[in-house]
Amino acid sequence: MWLPCRCTSKTMVTSYARRVFNSYFRVFGRWKCNVAALMPEAVGFEGVKDCSSLQEFSVSNSASFWAAAARHRLSWIKPFHTVQDCDLSLGRIKWFEGGQLNVSVNCLDRHVHTCPERVALIWERDEPGSEIKVTYRQLLEMTCRLGNLLRRHGVKKGDCVTIYMPPCPLAVASMLACARIGAAHNVVFAGFSAEALAERIRDAQSRTVITVNQGVRAGKVTELKRTVDAAVKDCPSVQQVLVAMRTENPVTMTAKDMDMEEEMLKEDMVCEPEAMDSEDVLFLLYTSGSTGKPKGVVHTQAGYLLYAALTHRYVFSYQDGDVFGCVADIGWITGHSYSVYGPLANGGTTVLFESTPIYPDPGRYWEMVQRLKINQFYGAPTAIRLLLKYGDQWVQKYDRSTLKTLGSVGEPINTEAWEWYHRVVGDGRCPVVDTWWQTETGGICITPRPSDPDAEIVPGMAMRPFFGIKPVLMDTEGKVVTSNPASGALCLAQPWPGMARTIHNNHQRFIETYCQPHPGYFFTGDGAYRSKEGYYQITGRLDDVINVSGHRIGTAEIEDVVNQCSAVAESAVIGYSHDIKGQGVYAFVVLKKDTDDQEADLSQQLNNMVSKKIAKYACPDFIQFVQRLPKTRSGKIMRRVLRKVVERDLDGLGDLSTLDDPAAVQEIIQGHRELCGKQQPS
């Protein structure tokens, strides 16, 4: 029912000619580095002979580098005349001015011309073994029909369409249909509450919403249409809701609703693409703000697409014919850049993962790798730590010989999880790329790859800046730290095409958040450590830096030590107000299932480890053992919730509807009361 063309659910990938990029993986293997094979457009770059010199050139000759990449990798309707016009101190960021293109053409049409039957999407549905494959030809047809439907119902260039859907082919077609007709899209994670959805619809001023009747995840059905109905009641701007059918269960349709798939079948298979200026808005994506009000981060057309494509190709050593498995939800930036835009711009085959890492059992990821023959796997550290807890047998049960690169995204990965990921999942032969980036950066900025042949990868470190990225560390006085090793606030010293342009309807907030803290630099809000070799390690959000008696320590650093204990599955550390020390350290710890140790003994052991590996001042004042940590359905630990519990501000917990299991919060609240009742902090 999902494919209007009524194609079969198992479409075989056709064989097709390998391109020049096939030599890319070998470039970073044992073979001598060949710049022409690595990046064909780099042949004319003076002094570039290897990956290191290419990175240096991309920073020192930024305009030349990005102009060559844009001309080589994007299909333009009209060429650009100005590569960049940027001033970070003013919050002015413009790339490829004068140029016009269409993102959907770059992601679909040009590949349909050369390989129409290549598989574009593999929809890994919640039900194992029921995957659906969609070719580039089929995805273009879906996109065109939907684009025509939106146009027929008044959606025009400059409008913003809100999409509230789980990962599925029609969600991708909805994003691309918006891009085709010149409308921006606002994808909202399909786990947000009606109130959170309504707030995002209102801020985006959407007149059109696209959703499904129900969602299916971990065997459970969620009433997404019902959530949209409740949200739309508080959104007077909404005129129409397009409803697709994920399940066969009927839902109540209002006067604003229409059956999307039925209406799509009435539309033509050809949809004329809109010529878009490079700096026209491609999408909004709402992310948490320090004020509590979500901010709509704005990404534009050409620069974002180029950066997503380039990072996807080179960070993961992606080759034509590979199957790319990013398991992030499309409601997050990772899903946008590495499930949709990056892979499709490169003509790749990308997986849309609808389920969870442990449904129907903890072998789900690895059974999927075996069945779909995935070559690159990109997931979150929190999921890796969760699966580590269940033991090696769930991994070793399945054939993972197709894997070539493993990626980590979302938060710093601790050493134990990194080593398990590398040794067990990758059999010690797959490089693990720990990627640092943000919604605001658009794509990966610091990562071990690409790099020169045989360059080392240090566990738990993002390490090296990507092409065109120039990281710097700032001290507490706002001065650039030039020595190594060093720690400081992570900033980026020059603009790059994939970066966000503004915050929707609030450019002043964009300037104050990212440009004013360190004028002339992009302030990331993260802290970082730079080793004597010049490698970067992310230490956590600066608001996740604890100041204990004048000593600054990143929560991620403490978590890394705690997680090295053989009995610990994962942990979350936060700071809390302390009368004497300014801030104290509070650790929430999840133990592995087979642990027999007494909690009192483990508490002492963990404190000894932290004291030995970091310092005595970093030792947790409280260690609360919990069954599970509060996480979003994308797997991110909600440290904000933990802070509110420890601060006893239960009224400030806010909307918990995005948590994977809200009951975990109540267990933690009760445990916190019991712990504080019988223990005094040190």
Side-chain angles (χ1 to χ4, degrees), residues 17 39 82-83 103 144 163 192 233 258 260 310 326-327 350 356 368 403 411 435 495 497 501 556 566 572 579 595 621:
M39 181 178 279
T82 304
V83 181
V103 165
C144 286
I163 301 170
F192 277 123
K233 289 179 181 177
M258 69 180 80
M260 184 164 81
L310 209 66
C326 173
V327 292
T350 180
T356 76
M368 177 181 72
L403 286 173
E411 58 183 307
T435 62
R501 300 308 195 250
S566 60
D579 290 342
T595 299
D621 300 280

Side-chain angles (χ1 to χ4, degrees), residues 7-274:
C7 69
T8 59
S9 63
K10 301 275 186 174
T11 304
M12 299 302 293
V13 183
T14 58
S15 61
Y16 45 86
R18 303 282 179 167
R19 296 181 181 174
V20 67
F21 290 108
N22 285 10
S23 59
Y24 173 72
F25 185 73
R26 297 192 295 270
V27 167
F28 293 117
R30 300 181 185 86
W31 292 20
K32 184 178 180 181
C33 185
N34 182 325
V35 173
L38 167 63
M39 181 178 279
E41 61 267 46
V43 173
F45 296 161
E46 186 176 350
V48 173
K49 59 184 184 301
D50 54 22
C51 194
S52 296
S53 57
L54 180 56
Q55 205 285 330
E56 292 171 6
F57 181 91
S58 71
V59 171
S60 59
N61 297 272
S62 176
S64 298
F65 176 86
W66 290 116
R71 292 188 181 106
H72 184 83
R73 294 170 188 275
L74 298 181
S75 296
W76 296 88
I77 297 171
K78 177 184 175 185
F80 55 89
H81 55 63
T82 304
V83 181
Q84 62 170 303
D85 176 16
C86 304
D87 186 335
L88 288 178
S89 62
L90 300 176
R92 185 179 74 239
I93 305 150
K94 296 180 181 180
W95 285 86
F96 312 121
E97 284 186 287
Q100 289 187 330
L101 77 172
N102 186 277
V103 165
S104 78
V105 170
N106 277 269
C107 290
L108 298 176
D109 302 61
R110 60 177 178 168
H111 308 309
V112 170
H113 290 320
T114 58
C115 45
E117 299 309 314
R118 180 186 297 179
V119 171
L121 307 176
I122 304 178
W123 181 24
E124 176 66 6
R125 303 200 304 167
D126 190 58
E127 305 87 354
S130 64
E131 74 273 10
I132 290 179
K133 297 182 179 181
V134 181
T135 67
Y136 274 91
R137 176 183 58 78
Q138 292 162 346
L139 184 55
L140 177 59
E141 178 188 331
M142 294 167 66
T143 298
C144 286
R145 289 183 185 273
L146 183 48
N148 287 329
L149 175 62
L150 292 172
R151 272 181 174 155
R152 179 158 62 88
H153 286 274
V155 179
K156 60 185 185 302
K157 182 177 179 178
D159 287 352
C160 183
V161 175
T162 293
I163 301 170
Y164 186 72
M165 305 173 82
C168 60
L170 270 182
V172 175
S174 297
M175 297 166 72
L176 293 171
C178 290
R180 196 167 192 87
I181 66 173
H185 60 69
N186 165 36
V187 181
V188 179
F189 172 59
F192 277 123
S193 66
E195 183 178 332
L197 173 60
E199 183 177 21
R200 287 156 175 79
I201 293 173
R202 287 194 300 268
D203 192 72
Q205 300 165 306
S206 292
R207 294 185 297 113
T208 302
V209 176
I210 305 176
T211 189
V212 296
N213 63 331
Q214 296 174 316
V216 183
R217 193 169 185 269
K220 300 175 183 176
V221 173
T222 54
E223 301 294 340
L224 299 186
K225 170 63 165 56
R226 192 177 298 170
T227 301
V228 171
D229 288 343
V232 167
K233 289 179 181 177
D234 295 324
C235 301
S237 66
V238 174
Q239 298 177 2
Q240 56 209 2
V241 178
L242 281 62
V243 184
M245 299 294 287
R246 168 59 179 90
T247 69
E248 296 182 359
N249 302 324
V251 291
T252 302
M253 301 287 277
T254 71
K256 293 183 178 180
D257 301 335
M258 69 180 80
D259 184 322
M260 184 164 81
E261 290 155 294
E262 184 178 302
E263 293 298 314
M264 284 170 63
L265 289 175
K266 301 175 184 177
E267 299 296 337
D268 195 83
M269 293 170 54
V270 177
C271 177
E272 186 66 24
E274 192 75 34

Side-chain angles (χ1 to χ4, degrees), residues 562 565 568 587 589 591 597-610 619-625 675 679:
V562 169
C565 175
V568 173
V589 177
L591 298 177
D597 298 23
Q598 296 296 310
E599 290 184 356
D601 295 336
L602 280 173
S603 292
Q604 186 59 52
Q605 180 184 348
L606 293 174
N607 271 301
N608 290 341
M609 290 174 66
V610 173
C619 292
D621 300 280
F622 286 101
I623 298 178
Q624 181 177 339
F625 295 97
L675 180 64
Q679 177 182 337

Side-chain angles (χ1 to χ4, degrees), residues 372-612:
L372 302 184
K373 295 180 170 51
I374 289 172
N375 303 111
Q376 293 86 10
F377 182 87
Y378 196 30
T382 187
I384 301 306
R385 289 192 291 267
L386 171 67
L387 296 173
L388 184 159
K389 180 177 169 182
Y390 285 94
D392 299 358
Q393 66 274 16
W394 287 106
V395 183
Q396 295 168 344
K397 183 178 178 181
Y398 300 102
D399 179 8
R400 304 166 322 285
S401 60
T402 57
L403 286 173
K404 295 190 288 189
T405 303
L406 300 173
S408 171
V409 60
E411 58 183 307
I413 185 169
N414 58 294
T415 303
E416 186 195 16
W418 190 100
E419 290 177 343
W420 182 85
Y421 199 22
H422 180 257
R423 175 179 55 83
V424 178
V425 176
D427 285 327
R429 59 180 179 76
C430 300
V432 176
V433 289
D434 176 12
T435 62
W436 174 84
W437 60 297
Q438 305 171 326
T439 302
E440 295 86 346
T441 70
I444 296 164
C445 289
I446 305 179
T447 176
R449 295 288 189 260
S451 56
D452 288 326
D454 301 322
E456 67 174 332
I457 294 181
V458 179
M461 296 189 81
M463 299 186 70
R464 303 177 180 96
F466 187 71
F467 301 136
I469 300 298
K470 185 179 180 181
V472 296
L473 299 180
M474 296 288 188
D475 64 19
T476 54
E477 296 180 355
K479 296 179 180 178
V480 176
V481 180
T482 57
S483 60
N484 289 338
S487 296
L490 179 63
C491 294
L492 301 176
Q494 62 187 42
W496 64 101
M499 68 188 300
R501 300 308 195 250
T502 187
I503 292 172
H504 183 59
N505 286 335
N506 198 342
H507 190 61
Q508 185 59 34
R509 186 181 179 188
F510 180 85
I511 293 172
E512 291 171 357
T513 303
Y514 305 109
C515 303
Q516 282 186 354
H518 298 281
Y521 298 85
F522 182 86
F523 175 57
T524 70
D526 280 338
Y529 164 78
R530 188 172 59 222
S531 70
K532 63 181 181 180
E533 298 85 3
Y535 300 152
Y536 287 87
Q537 181 175 30
I538 308 305
T539 54
R541 295 294 296 170
L542 289 174
D543 51 15
D544 285 340
V545 173
I546 306 172
N547 194 322
V548 182
S549 301
H551 301 286
R552 291 170 59 83
I553 183 75
T555 56
E557 191 173 353
I558 302 174
E559 290 169 5
D560 190 58
V561 174
V562 169
N563 291 343
Q564 289 176 27
C565 175
S566 60
V568 173
E570 63 177 338
S571 63
V573 171
I574 62 167
Y576 71 96
S577 180
H578 191 286
D579 290 342
I580 297 173
K581 297 187 289 186
Q583 280 189 296
V585 180
Y586 197 112
F588 295 87
V589 177
V590 178
L591 298 177
K592 293 177 181 175
K593 291 187 180 297
D594 57 356
T595 299
D596 296 322
D597 298 23
Q598 296 296 310
E599 290 184 356
D601 295 336
L602 280 173
S603 292
Q604 186 59 52
Q605 180 184 348
L606 293 174
N607 271 301
N608 290 341
M609 290 174 66
V610 173
S611 177
K612 180 180 179 181

